[in-house]
Amino acid sequence: MMPELQLCPCCAAHMRVPPQLHVMRCNNCDAELVFINEGGVRGLAYLPAVNGVVPYSDPAQRGRVIHGNFDGRELLEFRRGLVLADAARKQRFWGGLFFGSMVLLAIAAFTGIFGAEFVAHGPKESAETAALAFLGAFLSLPLIAYVALYFHGRARLAHESARRWMR
């Protein structure tokens, strides 16, 4: 009997999938795919790429070794959870750096404002120090703002990269 014809969800290449094959790679686009047979619907689903080592609790290993059967939906949900957890960790990291740089931006702005206030109305002996604080703060503001926007962009990128796996 000829294996069933399936389409790759990434590149729409035609693939003949034997019944005993559950996890595979597309020959055309090299996407990792899993065969899902659930609720009368049969087809291939794209597995998200996991950064790092897949842990021993991977349903693909557990299903083959312990039970002798395989559940493609469980593997897909497991991988989706790993990708979402990694993206949430990255988003928290970059968001924390963004928050820290915004605090540094506020400190630099207040340093510049108070330095200008001391230059204008303070004692003449501390005018030079106040002027240096004013100039240093307002020369560093654009750089700190640029770094803060970079961190914000990275946090948004981490969120958007995992958005396709959210429900």
Side-chain angles (χ1 to χ4, degrees):
M1 182 169 165
M2 190 70 138
E4 191 174 331
L5 186 64
Q6 299 289 332
L7 289 177
C8 174
C10 295
C11 66
H14 293 282
M15 300 170 61
R16 296 241 180 237
V17 180
Q20 68 273 12
L21 187 61
H22 301 290
V23 179
M24 66 212 79
R25 286 201 174 272
C26 177
N27 289 336
N28 194 30
C29 66
D30 202 36
E32 192 173 6
L33 306 171
V34 63
F35 184 74
I36 295 179
N37 184 7
E38 185 176 288
V41 177
R42 301 166 52 106
L44 296 175
Y46 175 67
L47 281 174
V50 177
N51 296 335
V53 179
V54 177
Y56 286 112
S57 60
D58 182 16
Q61 294 175 359
R62 189 173 60 242
R64 279 188 292 245
V65 174
I66 298 173
H67 305 297
N69 62 358
F70 180 80
D71 185 14
R73 173 61 68 188
E74 184 183 4
L75 177 62
L76 183 62
E77 293 299 322
F78 179 75
R79 288 275 187 97
R80 181 181 288 148
L82 288 178
V83 167
L84 289 176
D86 186 47
R89 181 189 55 79
K90 286 179 183 177
Q91 186 178 7
R92 282 192 309 271
F93 173 74
W94 290 111
L97 287 177
F98 170 70
F99 180 73
S101 61
M102 289 305 291
V103 168
L104 186 62
L105 186 70
I107 290 171
F110 283 122
T111 301
I113 290 170
F114 290 131
E117 179 69 26
F118 277 117
V119 166
H121 302 295
K124 297 298 177 195
E125 343 20 275
S126 64
E128 186 175 314
T129 307
L132 283 175
F134 171 74
L135 288 174
F138 279 100
L139 288 177
S140 65
L141 280 176
L143 178 63
I144 296 171
Y146 176 76
V147 170
L149 287 175
Y150 173 76
F151 291 152
H152 182 262
R154 292 299 300 236
R156 292 276 310 194
L157 182 64
H159 174 72
E160 292 296 324
S161 66
R163 190 171 171 191
R164 75 181 282 187
W165 302 110
M166 293 179 193
R167 294 177 195 208

